[in-house]
Amino acid sequence: MRLHEYQAKEVFAEAGMPTPESVLAESTDEVLDAAESIGYPVAVKAQVHVGGRGKAGGIELAESDEEAREAADSILGMDLKGYTVERVLVEQAVDFVDELYVGVTMDRGAGEPVAMVSSEGGVDIESVAEESPEAIAREHVDPAFGMHHYQANRAVYDAGVDRAVASDVASVLTTLFDLWEDRDASEAEINPLMITGDDEVVAADAVMNIDDDALFRQPDLAEMEEAAAGDDLEAKANEYGFDYVRLDGNVGIIGNGAGLVMTTLDLVDYYGGEPANFLDIGGGAKAERVANALDMVFSDDNVDSVVFNLFGGITRGDEVARGINSAIEEFDELPKPVVVRLAGTNAEEGMEILNADALDVEQTLEGAVQRSVEQAGGAQ
């Protein structure tokens, strides 16, 4: 479960972490009231689960009622990478001189949690990790003992944080790790952690994702789940029981098995397309689940074409074919072109069952991906 920024900041503030004064608003009038209460300048920030909100126009600074009104009118109701913005966070603007990144997640390769600090905050940390991995200081933590103070201090030192704020940054990192552990989080980060001219540290952004399987022991966070869903697509994913990961492309992908889906994503990229999602229907999926998966992808406004990749093992090809037929029978005309590739158990029976008049059927995965990329507008 992904918390919205305003929800994560509530959790951070309760733990004693410094956050800007803020108010959640759902209308222009509420934005103006919040700005007047907080005092200008303020930041008006879209509350949707996407990265790069600032570059996409989802964050605006306002220094007057007129600018706050313009920001509210511009952001509320806008389509931000496929999400409709229904709420904004109005928060006190921070006059900063530097931006850092701090985060905690699980390093599955090492089998341990890892705490991270970087002096290159305020930018996409994944790009930093790819282009300048040495700019991120990492400290692995033994889960049996938790994070020691010397580890937080070492991570901050290795990241080259200014000595004047190093102690405060280390304290924020320690608190963040404790929250990550105590709250059953899969990821927690602050990007950016802003440094002011008075050498104060402020969590200007907040990310916190919670392990769904642990929500039973986090009742207060579980109550946030409906509000955290964000839009109809995520609500539908919860209803169907799918882990639907939305990406930035326009080629929808459905497969049975995480490895198979990842292979399909890689091939879409290889042939010049951009994946729109990650959707694994799992082994043994019945017709109803397959139909629900297609409904999910059809409901994603970012998707222009769909490639369905099945290798029959536990999931039989004929059962999946019935599910696909069941889904397309609900439409007089398919809203988006669908390319199907079946292989493995009962694949031949499935190919015979498929409604080839409404679908494109390919014998190979490469052929299916290439056709789907072409239908989505061709190589980028």
Side-chain angles (χ1 to χ4, degrees):
M1 182 188 79
R2 294 184 293 172
L3 298 184
H4 281 295
E5 176 191 3
Y6 76 92
Q7 295 171 321
K9 280 183 173 174
E10 289 176 6
V11 176
F12 288 6
E14 288 176 2
M17 204 174 292
T19 59
E21 181 181 356
S22 61
V23 177
L24 189 68
E26 298 182 2
S27 68
T28 298
D29 288 341
E30 290 182 4
V31 169
L32 291 172
D33 290 343
E36 182 178 352
S37 173
I38 295 170
Y40 291 104
V42 297
V44 182
K45 309 171 76 174
Q47 296 300 285
V48 289
H49 293 305
V50 299
R53 290 175 297 167
K55 293 181 180 179
I59 299 177
E60 298 284 351
L61 290 176
E63 297 188 1
S64 65
D65 285 351
E66 182 180 355
E67 291 183 2
R69 182 182 298 276
E70 290 176 357
D73 290 342
S74 172
I75 297 174
L76 285 168
M78 77 181 298
D79 182 279
L80 193 60
K81 298 185 179 181
Y83 290 81
T84 300
V85 179
E86 298 178 350
R87 291 166 294 190
V88 295
L89 188 66
V90 183
E91 92 178 2
Q92 182 180 32
V94 180
D95 185 10
F96 66 94
V97 296
D98 199 5
E99 295 177 295
L100 308 177
Y101 166 90
V102 296
V104 181
T105 189
M106 175 60 73
D107 184 341
R108 301 192 182 280
E112 290 181 327
V114 59
M116 297 168 288
V117 182
S118 176
S119 58
E120 297 189 22
V123 297
D124 180 13
I125 197 64
E126 285 78 12
S127 298
V128 175
E130 181 177 345
E131 298 170 7
S132 306
E134 70 282 356
I136 303 176
R138 297 171 173 84
E139 189 71 30
H140 287 88
V141 180
D142 188 330
F145 300 101
M147 172 168 275
H148 296 290
H149 290 298
Y150 78 85
Q151 292 181 293
N153 291 332
R154 183 165 58 193
V156 170
Y157 175 81
D158 289 346
V161 174
D162 189 279
R163 176 177 291 184
V165 295
S167 178
D168 288 341
V169 174
S171 178
V172 167
L173 181 61
T174 301
T175 301
L176 191 66
F177 181 87
D178 291 342
L179 282 173
W180 179 87
E181 186 174 46
D182 295 341
R183 290 299 202 161
D184 294 304
S186 57
E187 179 183 9
E189 69 177 27
I190 302 170
N191 188 20
L193 180 68
M194 289 184 171
I195 311 300
T196 72
D198 296 328
D199 291 333
E200 295 181 350
V201 297
V202 181
D205 194 16
V207 171
M208 195 172 193
N209 300 333
I210 310 301
D211 185 347
D212 289 330
D213 293 331
L215 283 176
F216 73 93
R217 59 187 185 190
Q218 302 289 346
D220 57 331
L221 298 183
E223 291 178 0
M224 298 180 180
E225 185 169 20
E226 182 176 351
D231 70 353
D232 293 340
L233 191 62
E234 291 194 25
K236 183 172 287 189
N238 290 335
E239 175 187 349
Y240 289 154
F242 290 135
D243 289 326
Y244 189 85
V245 180
R246 203 173 199 185
L247 304 174
D248 293 331
N250 63 347
V251 179
I253 297 173
I254 304 172
N256 64 314
L260 199 65
V261 177
M262 288 299 297
T263 299
T264 312
L265 262 73
D266 288 343
L267 280 174
V268 168
D269 181 72
Y270 178 79
Y271 286 114
E274 295 184 6
N277 69 281
F278 178 103
L279 178 54
D280 172 17
I281 64 173
K286 300 298 182 182
E288 180 182 5
R289 187 165 175 84
V290 175
N292 290 343
L294 280 171
D295 181 47
M296 271 287 322
V297 179
F298 285 158
S299 299
D300 191 333
D301 294 335
N302 288 353
V303 172
D304 292 325
S305 69
V306 181
V307 58
F308 194 109
N309 182 17
L310 170 81
F311 185 85
I314 300 174
T315 309
R316 301 190 337 253
D318 57 327
E319 186 70 34
V320 173
R322 292 189 184 92
I324 296 173
N325 287 345
S326 174
I328 65 178
E329 285 172 2
E330 299 178 11
F331 302 91
D332 294 331
E333 182 178 351
L334 288 181
K336 293 151 189 181
V338 178
V339 183
V340 181
R341 177 261 190 176
L342 293 178
T345 305
N346 289 4
E348 293 183 3
E349 292 88 337
M351 300 281 270
E352 294 175 359
I353 294 171
L354 280 173
N355 183 351
D357 293 332
L359 305 164
D360 293 315
V361 181
E362 290 285 343
Q363 298 291 331
T364 67
L365 176 56
E366 291 82 358
V369 169
Q370 285 179 285
R371 177 173 289 198
S372 193
V373 169
E374 292 170 0
Q375 291 173 339
Q380 302 299 313

